[in-house]
Amino acid sequence: QFSLDRIPRSREVRQSWISSVVTTLYSILYSLPLTYKRKPDLILCNGPGTCVPVCLSAFLLGLLRIKRTIIVYVESICRVETLSLSGKILYYFSDYFIVQWPDLKKKYPKSVYLGRIV
């Protein structure tokens, strides 16, 4: 059994950085009641910026001692030398940060290298 929920995109392709702050905050505010309602045990996400507001909302619920959610972020296989913007943000908030290239593990010691898990 599962359910699907939609949240607004936090950033459009080629959207300016200034306006993306506003849309990301809107997505976080939209995600907060959703994560509060669902109270997930685990969030498994990869890549797209849409996962950032959901993960930050879940992280905030944990800080408020409402519900502790395990956040697992899998960086895209195409990120060989540097992290994506989502990865750079969630590196600090995730419980498990998985990379698919050994060079990224060297640069980001908190990460877990499991090989290619596509």
Side-chain angles (χ1 to χ4, degrees):
Q1 184 178 5
F2 68 92
S3 65
L4 295 175
D5 296 294
R6 291 178 174 248
I7 65 165
R9 288 182 63 115
S10 54
R11 185 169 188 271
E12 296 289 338
V13 176
R14 294 189 183 93
Q15 182 178 349
S16 74
W17 292 105
I18 300 292
S19 65
S20 66
V21 171
V22 174
T23 55
T24 301
L25 287 174
Y26 175 70
S27 294
I28 291 171
L29 291 174
Y30 194 93
S31 300
L32 274 170
L34 180 64
T35 53
Y36 180 78
K37 176 180 151 190
R38 298 283 182 211
K39 292 185 177 68
D41 294 319
L42 179 130
I43 295 176
L44 173 63
C45 57
N46 70 329
T50 305
C51 70
V52 173
V54 174
C55 290
L56 292 179
S57 297
F59 183 77
L60 182 60
L61 290 180
L63 285 179
L64 297 173
R65 301 190 187 278
I66 295 171
K67 170 66 176 167
R68 170 75 170 94
T69 301
I70 297 170
I71 299 171
V72 179
Y73 180 80
V74 180
E75 184 61 276
S76 171
I77 193 167
C78 67
R79 302 307 299 205
V80 178
E81 297 178 3
T82 61
L83 297 180
S84 63
L85 180 57
S86 299
K88 289 176 184 175
I89 295 168
L90 292 177
Y91 181 75
Y92 299 101
F93 298 100
S94 60
D95 296 288
Y96 299 97
F97 190 90
I98 300 170
V99 295
Q100 300 184 59
W101 294 94
D103 288 347
L104 284 178
K105 169 63 181 159
K106 292 174 190 171
K107 286 183 180 179
Y108 301 95
K110 177 190 168 197
S111 67
V112 177
Y113 170 67
L114 297 177
R116 288 164 197 83
I117 58 173
V118 184

